[in-house]
């Protein structure tokens, strides 16, 4: 299965649209969102074309393709207007023989680990910085970066998970990193 992984839309209709164009271009079967969907949060500037109502319309049209975890900017009020579940703190995926613990990153991260074991993968957004780092007992920390508000000169980006490979791409589809597990 080909899964597109994205995080931190923060209410940008422009970048949400670009992300959905990439989803179509990638021919992914599912879109996994790692939280912070509609609201920009008090620490972030308004992203380009900040329009949460447009974002929810765009995403609700794809509700059967999306699964999501809750970000620190996501609330029960957001869940009232989004037609797919967003309130889970984490979800579990299998990538080959490895367990992927997917979360937003504000609650569970490398400083406060979830219940992971040797060889497990921690996947989260929140920092807006793409990452692929080894840690612990052959563990791997992965981050797709941010769709709308990237930090530390990183691109507006997402990831693709297919077979045993994670691929980082900018919103134009240009690959800039690949990790095989």
């Amino acid at each position: 299965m080909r899964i597109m992984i994205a995080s931190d839309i923060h209410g940008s209709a422009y970048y949400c649209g670009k992300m959905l164009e990439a989803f179509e271009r990638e021919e992914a079967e599912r879109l996994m969102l790692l939280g912070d969907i509609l609201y920009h949060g008090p620490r972030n500037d308004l992203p380009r074309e900040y329009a949460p109502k447009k974002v929810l319309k765009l995403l609700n049209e794809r509700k059967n393709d999306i699964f999501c975890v809750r970000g620190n900017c996501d609330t029960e009020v957001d869940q009232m207007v989004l037609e797919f579940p967003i309130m889970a703190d984490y979800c579990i995926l299998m990538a080959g023989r490895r367990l992927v613990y997917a979360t937003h990153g504000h609650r569970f991260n490398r400083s406060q680990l979830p219940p992971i074991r040797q060889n497990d993968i921690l996947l989260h957004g929140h920092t807006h910085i793409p990452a692929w780092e080894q840690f612990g007992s052959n563990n791997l920390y992965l981050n797709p970066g941010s769709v709308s508000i990237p930090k530390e000169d990183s691109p507006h980006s997402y990831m693709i998970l297919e077979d045993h490979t994670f691929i980082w791409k900018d919103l134009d589809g240009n690959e800039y990193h690949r990790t095989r597990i």
Side-chain angles (χ1 to χ4, degrees):
M1 176 177 280
R2 188 172 177 88
I3 299 173
M4 182 174 169
I5 303 164
S7 190
D8 297 281
I9 299 168
H10 287 293
S12 171
Y14 177 81
Y15 287 112
C16 183
K18 298 284 277 179
M19 177 193 71
L20 292 173
E21 287 172 13
F23 179 71
E24 290 293 324
R25 183 178 61 246
E26 293 287 351
E27 297 180 354
E29 296 170 66
R30 299 286 185 181
L31 173 59
M32 177 179 187
L33 297 176
L34 298 177
D36 284 0
I37 299 168
L38 299 177
Y39 180 53
H40 69 288
R43 294 180 295 173
N44 296 311
D45 292 332
L46 286 174
R48 181 174 177 177
E49 199 181 315
Y50 180 68
K53 289 180 182 177
K54 288 182 183 177
V55 170
L56 72 91
K57 181 182 183 313
L58 289 169
L59 294 177
N60 282 341
E61 290 171 353
R62 304 304 302 253
K63 65 184 176 188
N64 294 329
D65 297 326
I66 298 172
F67 60 107
C68 185
V69 295
R70 182 181 64 87
N72 57 302
C73 294
D74 299 322
T75 68
E76 290 180 20
V77 172
D78 300 329
Q79 182 62 85
M80 295 169 118
V81 294
L82 289 166
E83 297 173 3
F84 53 92
I86 68 163
M87 298 306 289
D89 285 327
Y90 65 91
C91 74
I92 303 296
L93 303 171
M94 293 304 296
R97 300 188 71 170
R98 295 182 80 168
L99 180 140
V100 179
Y101 192 100
T103 188
H104 178 64
H106 66 295
R107 200 170 282 225
F108 297 112
N109 50 58
R110 286 185 40 197
S111 298
Q112 187 171 333
L113 290 173
I116 61 174
R117 297 168 135 180
Q118 183 176 358
N119 298 316
D120 288 348
I121 297 170
L122 173 63
L123 168 65
H124 71 69
H126 185 59
T127 65
H128 300 219
I129 303 165
W132 46 87
E133 302 168 6
Q134 294 282 337
F135 74 98
S137 298
N138 198 33
N139 299 103
L140 190 57
Y141 159 57
L142 305 176
N143 190 316
S146 173
V147 169
S148 69
I149 309 172
K151 295 186 178 172
E152 294 189 6
D153 295 320
S154 61
H156 298 268
S157 62
Y158 63 92
M159 293 167 54
I160 294 293
L161 169 59
E162 186 170 38
D163 298 323
H164 299 90
T165 306
F166 287 91
I167 304 165
W168 283 255
K169 295 185 175 187
D170 66 23
L171 285 177
D172 291 325
N174 301 308
E175 178 179 333
Y176 65 91
H177 186 76
R178 176 181 291 250
T179 296
R180 184 156 172 80
I181 56 168

